[in-house]
Amino acid sequence: MSDFKDLNVLKELIQRRIDELLNRIEGAERVRIVYAVESGSRAWGFPSTDSDWDVRFVYVRPIDWYLSIQNRRDVLEFPIDDGLDASGWDLRKALQLFAKSNPPLLEWLRSPLIYREALSTAKRLRELFAHFFSPRSCMHHYLHMAEGNYREYLQRDTVWLKKYFYVLRPVLACCWIERHGSMPPMEFTELMDDQLPSHLREPVAGLLARKRAGDELEEGPRLLQINDFLEAKIEHFRDSLARVPTGPRPDFAILDLVFRDCIVEAWGVRPTAD
């Protein structure tokens, strides 16, 4: 019971620190944070005990900021502060990426750890998923991630064991897209239960339990069964990517309406549509 209480206290403390950070960003940058979530290993379900808190957010500025001929920076990034790693995208940038079925943004919208959802914007985007989801675009992203991490970390005789998760997850995401034709879930265990072959579940579950318990999973010999599976799947998706459906053509008029409505909700001023 004591451990449970300690965990709840920690969660409340982190939420309070994140709220304070988001409030400071709103005041200093004169923005309204529309949506803020956890991204990365904590949202995927395989954090280490010392993992940073990867806070990602979408923000909207006052209307005058958008009515300028200048090209202005549409990203906010901040140094890591005592374990809090915060960065965010301007709403217009986020909507442009949503139209392209950008997987990191789609993951934010499905994160199990939501720190702030101030307006209706995120809910409306979730409702539009099916109208903008591109299986090919998302599979390309996850395949590229798997190829890069496999090449960088898992091809030597001795490998950094925790990096298996950073190849397994995108490979299983590709498997999910191929089978279901939809955006993969954030949680690694859901992907594992749905897509990982039965003969690999015990060794992968063992690695996961060690990582969650605080084992740093540093260097060790390659896990040949897992490597064989990853290599075969990466080769398969390289060959099949061109045959994956591209998805519907984006309807920018819908996203223009979401953009205008968000400005109204945030600032009470409606831009004039053409």
Side-chain angles (χ1 to χ4, degrees), residues 63 257 260-261 263-264 267-273:
I63 187 171
L257 183 59
R260 296 180 188 122
D261 287 347
I263 292 175
V264 173
W267 305 107
V269 179
R270 177 171 292 279
T272 302

Side-chain angles (χ1 to χ4, degrees), residues 236-249:
H236 166 71
F237 290 120
R238 282 175 183 155
D239 293 340
S240 64
L241 181 62
R243 298 188 296 275
V244 175
T246 58
R249 186 170 181 171

Side-chain angles (χ1 to χ4, degrees), residues 148-182:
N149 287 338
Y150 189 83
R151 182 172 57 249
E152 181 75 17
Y153 299 112
L154 299 182
Q155 289 192 312
R156 298 185 299 274
D157 290 335
T158 300
V159 299
W160 197 359
L161 292 173
K162 78 174 185 179
K163 294 300 182 181
Y164 273 104
F165 293 105
Y166 296 91
V167 183
L168 276 165
R169 184 177 181 276
V171 163
L172 295 179
C174 289
C175 295
W176 179 285
I177 293 169
E178 182 179 56
R179 177 176 294 181
H180 300 291
S182 62

Side-chain angles (χ1 to χ4, degrees), residues 58-76:
V58 176
Y59 62 90
V60 62
R61 292 187 180 274
I63 187 171
D64 286 351
W65 191 89
Y66 300 105
L67 302 178
S68 171
I69 64 170
Q70 299 178 71
N71 290 323
R72 295 176 168 178
R73 182 167 168 79
D74 53 9
V75 175
L76 292 176

Side-chain angles (χ1 to χ4, degrees), residues 41-226:
S41 63
R42 290 188 182 277
W44 296 333
F46 48 79
S48 301
T49 53
D50 61 349
S51 292
D52 290 333
W53 299 85
D54 298 321
V55 182
R56 300 294 177 261
F57 58 89
V58 176
Y59 62 90
V60 62
R61 292 187 180 274
I63 187 171
D64 286 351
W65 191 89
Y66 300 105
L67 302 178
S68 171
I69 64 170
Q70 299 178 71
N71 290 323
R72 295 176 168 178
R73 182 167 168 79
D74 53 9
V75 175
L76 292 176
E77 297 173 302
F78 304 93
I80 297 176
D81 179 13
D82 194 20
L84 296 186
D85 177 2
S87 64
W89 291 338
D90 178 77
L91 176 65
R92 182 160 58 187
K93 176 185 180 71
L95 292 174
Q96 290 167 346
L97 291 172
F98 186 82
K100 297 177 182 178
S101 192
N102 175 266
L105 177 62
L106 299 185
E107 288 194 359
W108 295 4
L109 290 166
R110 296 166 66 93
S111 175
L113 299 174
I114 298 174
Y115 298 127
R116 182 171 297 184
E117 188 164 349
L119 308 177
S120 66
T121 309
K123 178 177 181 292
R124 291 175 68 178
L125 291 180
R126 292 190 201 99
E127 293 169 351
L128 291 171
F129 256 54
H131 301 286
F132 289 87
F133 177 71
S134 169
R136 185 185 298 178
S137 175
C138 289
M139 186 178 286
H140 179 272
H141 168 85
Y142 288 118
L143 176 59
H144 180 73
M145 183 185 297
E147 288 176 320
N149 287 338
Y150 189 83
R151 182 172 57 249
E152 181 75 17
Y153 299 112
L154 299 182
Q155 289 192 312
R156 298 185 299 274
D157 290 335
T158 300
V159 299
W160 197 359
L161 292 173
K162 78 174 185 179
K163 294 300 182 181
Y164 273 104
F165 293 105
Y166 296 91
V167 183
L168 276 165
R169 184 177 181 276
V171 163
L172 295 179
C174 289
C175 295
W176 179 285
I177 293 169
E178 182 179 56
R179 177 176 294 181
H180 300 291
S182 62
M183 185 66 189
M186 283 282 281
E187 296 88 339
F188 179 75
T189 52
E190 189 173 348
L191 281 173
M192 185 174 73
D193 291 344
D194 190 80
Q195 296 296 326
L196 193 66
S198 57
H199 71 283
L200 295 180
R201 293 189 182 183
E202 184 174 344
V204 172
L207 284 177
L208 182 60
R210 287 171 59 192
K211 192 171 189 300
R212 286 174 168 173
D215 188 332
E216 281 305 304
L217 296 179
E218 295 180 347
E219 290 191 338
R222 279 196 304 170
L223 304 175
L224 296 181
Q225 280 187 311
I226 301 178

